[in-house]
């Protein structure tokens, strides 16, 4: 990103934080490349709509109450058994309206330990390293993949690419759409998994300022809203000033707010974020 007065900074369009470095393949690759990782500091200030800070004691009390509600939701799941699979967590806990009561914490055992870290220059550095000396073909619309004991064929338009095997890493949404035909058809267990598995949406707004006005002793800060309809709307800000090469600030949008964001003109999104930063 480039701004006035020759101010510039690097920002990732996709994932931009290593969420745990222990056992994380991205963390291992960064170490092998000799890349420096910067720990995302634990300090995260919370601000109300008017820009005033949330009292730390109140924040701690709310977090304690929230964790107690989650404990009760876990006990309710044990009591309801299989019935919980068809009950949203929102029925027991309004905060997570779209999560299953049975599976809301299913990823916990697989969380990667260690610090959350920034990679200076962006995670694109890892992709560039992996792609070094690897032929990459762009603008190829794959419509079918044939596979068997004698190898695999990947078809893109009138072109056919052959190999011993193929590693298919297309997004889950592409698999759900059925735009790629597999011959023979994928096993039912995989088709069922593709059907059941869901995914969320996360958007972000990147803004480059002339200087850092939000403070330099923390990397994140949160924004609260009094309206549940706006939940997830620019709820968390990441400061990349220490690793992006310039005073860069990213605002995250999640949940239902992220879907509404898809139709919002970029100028309107920036205007909303600036109003939050000003405490309006």
């Amino acid at each position: 990103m480039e701004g006035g007065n020759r101010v510039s900074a690097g920002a990732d369009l996709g994932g931009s934080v290593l969420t745990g470095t222990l056992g994380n393949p991205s963390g291992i690759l960064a170490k092998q490349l000799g890349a420096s990782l910067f720990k995302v500091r634990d300090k995260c200030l919370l601000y109300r709509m008017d820009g005033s800070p949330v009292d730390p004691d109140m924040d701690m009390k709310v977090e304690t109450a929230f964790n107690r509600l989650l404990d009760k939701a876990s006990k309710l799941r044990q009591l309801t058994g299989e019935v919980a699979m068809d009950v949203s967590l929102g029925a027991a806990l309004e905060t997570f309206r779209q999560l299953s009561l049975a599976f809301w914490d299913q990823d916990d055992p697989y969380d990667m330990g260690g610090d959350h870290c920034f990679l200076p220059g962006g995670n694109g550095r890892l992709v560039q390293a992996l792609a070094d000396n690897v032929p990459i073909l762009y603008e190829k619309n794959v419509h079918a993949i044939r596979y068997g004991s004698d190898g695999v064929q990947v078809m893109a338009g009138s072109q056919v690419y052959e190999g011993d095997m193929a590693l298919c890493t297309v997004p889950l949404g592409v698999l759900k759409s059925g735009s790629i035909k597999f011959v023979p058809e994928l096993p039912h267990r995989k088709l069922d998994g593709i059907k059941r598995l869901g995914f969320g949406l996360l958007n972000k707004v990147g803004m480059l300022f002339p200087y850092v006005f939000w403070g330099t002793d923390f990397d994140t800060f949160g924004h609260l809203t009094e309206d549940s309809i706006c939940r997830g709307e620019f709820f968390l800000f990441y400061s990349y000033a220490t690793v992006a090469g310039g005073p860069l600030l990213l605002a995250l949008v999640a949940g239902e707010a992220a879907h509404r964001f898809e139709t919002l003109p970029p100028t309107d999104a920036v205007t909303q974020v600036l109003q939050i930063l000003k405490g309006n």
Side-chain angles (χ1 to χ4, degrees):
M1 299 179 64
E2 294 184 354
N5 299 322
R6 297 182 179 179
V7 177
S8 63
D12 285 303
L13 292 177
S16 52
V17 177
L18 299 185
T19 53
T21 54
L22 300 181
N24 188 332
S26 296
I28 295 173
L29 180 58
K31 185 176 181 180
Q32 292 174 338
L33 294 174
S36 299
L37 296 178
F38 284 78
K39 179 182 182 299
V40 178
R41 287 169 285 188
D42 296 329
K43 183 178 180 181
C44 181
L45 303 176
L46 293 179
Y47 293 93
R48 293 187 174 88
M49 295 182 63
D50 61 1
S52 61
V54 174
D55 180 72
D57 291 335
M58 177 60 69
D59 180 27
M60 186 175 298
K61 290 179 180 178
V62 171
E63 182 177 3
T64 300
F66 175 71
N67 289 332
R68 287 176 180 171
L69 287 173
L70 291 181
D71 290 339
K72 291 182 178 181
S74 296
K75 292 179 181 179
L76 179 60
R77 174 175 55 190
Q78 295 174 1
L79 293 173
T80 55
E82 293 185 359
V83 176
M85 297 183 183
D86 299 320
V87 179
S88 72
L89 180 59
L93 185 63
E94 195 275 338
T95 306
F96 295 133
R97 290 178 296 169
Q98 301 300 323
L99 295 184
S100 164
L101 175 60
F103 303 118
W104 62 272
D105 59 350
Q106 64 180 355
D107 290 336
D108 287 0
Y110 307 103
D111 280 349
M112 296 177 185
D115 296 326
H116 288 203
C117 296
F118 293 129
L119 177 63
N123 291 355
R125 292 178 56 190
L126 304 181
V127 177
Q128 293 169 359
L130 291 172
D132 188 32
N133 295 322
V134 175
I136 299 177
L137 305 178
Y138 295 96
E139 298 182 0
K140 301 295 182 181
N141 188 9
V142 174
H143 66 271
I145 299 177
R146 296 179 179 271
Y147 64 98
S149 59
D150 56 344
V152 63
Q153 292 181 326
V154 178
M155 281 151 278
S158 60
Q159 295 177 301
V160 178
Y161 303 91
E162 298 183 338
D164 295 330
M165 62 183 66
L167 178 62
C168 184
T169 61
V170 299
L172 178 59
V174 175
L175 293 177
K176 284 180 175 291
S177 71
S179 59
I180 298 179
K181 182 180 180 180
F182 289 88
V183 182
E185 190 175 59
L186 293 175
H188 285 298
R189 62 182 179 84
K190 290 190 176 182
L191 293 176
D192 290 342
I194 292 171
K195 182 179 179 180
R196 293 196 311 268
L197 190 61
F199 53 91
L201 180 63
L202 182 68
N203 278 308
K204 55 187 178 182
V205 177
M207 295 159 294
L208 185 62
F209 294 93
Y211 59 90
V212 176
F213 61 84
W214 53 86
T216 58
D217 61 338
F218 54 86
D219 299 310
T220 59
F221 60 90
H223 163 249
L224 304 181
T225 177
E226 296 177 353
D227 191 342
S228 61
I229 297 179
C230 299
R231 183 183 294 120
E233 191 172 271
F234 312 117
F235 70 102
L236 183 65
F237 289 76
Y238 273 98
S239 170
Y240 281 80
T242 56
V243 295
L248 178 67
L249 196 62
L250 292 182
L252 303 187
V253 191
E256 294 180 6
H259 290 277
R260 295 194 298 270
F261 178 88
E262 293 283 297
T263 60
L264 191 67
T267 53
D268 291 354
V270 172
T271 298
Q272 289 186 23
V273 175
L274 291 177
Q275 289 176 343
I276 291 173
L277 294 173
K278 294 176 181 179
N280 295 337

